[in-house]
Amino acid sequence: MGRGLFITLEGVEGSGKTTQAGRLAETLRAGGRRVIVTREPGGTRAGAAIREIFLDPAVSLNVAAELLLVLADRAQHVSEKLKPAVEAGEIVISDRYSDSTTAYQGYGRGFDLRLLGELNRLATAGMTPDLTIVLDCRVETGLARTRERARASAHHFDRFEGEEIAFHARVREGFLTIARGEPERVVVIDSERPLAEVSADILRQVEALLARRCL
Ligand code: T5A
């Protein structure tokens, strides 16, 4: 059995990652591919417990504690789920991964980027995405979408959704900086457009990668 693919979706709050991960998986499955969709934080049982603490705004966390929690989630996710699935030939789509840590805890919170990179390397154990899609939209657009959803579902704001606009703007710039630094891995797609247009662009990128890898 050949190696599968590891695809990550990244971006600011409400940029459409969860929606697009589902749509991509559905299309690929309809074409006969084996696909799993997972997320960070919370892709494993340990991760689900970590997610509760990580997102709860009532739990006080300093920047290092926040960072180490999300890295613990990642270390478990990589060994328990991501690596085995990719080695078994699956296409794995992860809703957030290591670039979120660089963007949120690095660019957003101001944690030292070099040390953060080292710690991320420990957590990922060499598991680098084959393709990362950054869904890019204005922070105001993304937050308006999450606010709208919250209104419809009585959902309370989590630790990050409640942050000020300037924080989210630094996070967005962080993702765009990562993309500029690694253009062979990271593709930026404008997600202010209608869902179907965004999905079509994502699919084009994934199909090109599948063709390059002869999969
Ligand atoms: N975090 C995470 C860190 O700080 N460091 C890390 O290392 C990691 C891994 C995770 C939080 O943790 C932080 C970042 C996050 O704040 P989460 O609940 O998983 O929390 O939050 P998000 O990943 O931000 O998920 P969201 O659901 O808020 O955003 P999505 O997934 O980007 O957006 P989605 O698809 O749920 O869409 C939101 C709404 O917009 C609509 C959808 O229908 C939905 O209602 N929508 C569109 N509407 C119009 N046009 C489009 N193109 C649309 N796309 C989506």
Side-chain angles (χ1 to χ4, degrees), residues 13-19 51 96 101 105 149 160 193:
E13 315 288 309
S15 55
K17 301 171 299 295
T18 308
T19 307
R51 182 182 171 91
R96 297 194 182 278
T101 314
Q105 281 65 47
R149 186 185 48 194
F160 298 95
R193 297 169 303 146

Side-chain angles (χ1 to χ4, degrees), residues 2-210:
R3 185 187 179 279
L5 271 190
F6 180 34
I7 299 166
T8 59
L9 293 180
E10 300 277 13
V12 294
E13 315 288 309
S15 55
K17 301 171 299 295
T18 308
T19 307
Q20 294 296 346
R23 289 169 72 104
L24 176 62
E26 215 172 278
T27 307
L28 292 172
R29 284 184 190 126
R33 308 264 182 195
R34 289 188 302 134
V35 183
I36 69 161
V37 178
T38 184
R39 70 171 176 181
E40 288 194 0
T44 62
R45 188 155 177 209
I50 292 170
R51 182 182 171 91
E52 288 281 310
I53 304 170
F54 186 72
L55 293 184
D56 185 349
V59 176
S60 169
L61 292 175
N62 71 25
V63 183
E66 184 182 288
L67 171 68
L68 292 169
L69 270 179
V70 84
L71 292 173
D73 167 79
R74 181 158 308 128
Q76 188 62 29
H77 194 208
V78 166
S79 65
E80 183 179 323
K81 199 164 182 181
L82 299 179
K83 247 190 187 150
V86 172
E87 281 167 8
E90 307 241 15
I91 297 178
V92 177
I93 303 169
S94 187
D95 184 345
R96 297 194 182 278
Y97 188 60
S98 54
D99 296 318
S100 278
T101 314
T102 307
Y104 279 77
Q105 281 65 47
Y107 288 92
R109 298 279 195 231
F111 194 90
D112 179 73
L113 285 171
R114 199 193 49 77
L115 178 55
L116 187 150
E118 291 297 315
L119 293 168
N120 233 340
R121 257 189 293 286
L122 171 73
T124 55
M127 185 89 187
T128 304
D130 297 294
L131 172 67
T132 295
I133 306 275
V134 171
L135 293 176
D136 183 55
C137 68
R138 279 170 298 166
V139 163
E140 292 81 358
T141 305
L143 289 174
R145 288 177 185 164
T146 58
R147 234 173 268 129
E148 182 52 40
R149 186 185 48 194
R151 248 197 305 276
S153 65
H155 160 90
H156 296 292
F157 270 5
D158 67 30
R159 181 182 306 282
F160 298 95
E161 287 165 343
E163 282 289 343
E164 56 188 18
I165 291 282
F167 171 82
H168 294 291
R170 290 196 297 277
V171 170
R172 181 186 185 195
E173 197 44 50
F175 282 122
L176 296 176
T177 304
I178 294 166
R180 281 193 293 272
E182 289 184 73
E184 61 301 326
R185 171 177 71 86
V186 186
V187 175
V188 178
I189 290 179
D190 174 5
S191 71
E192 299 247 2
R193 297 169 303 146
L195 278 178
E197 286 181 28
V198 179
S199 303
D201 279 2
I202 295 173
L203 187 61
R204 240 191 311 280
Q205 293 293 334
V206 173
E207 281 176 339
L209 176 62
L210 287 165

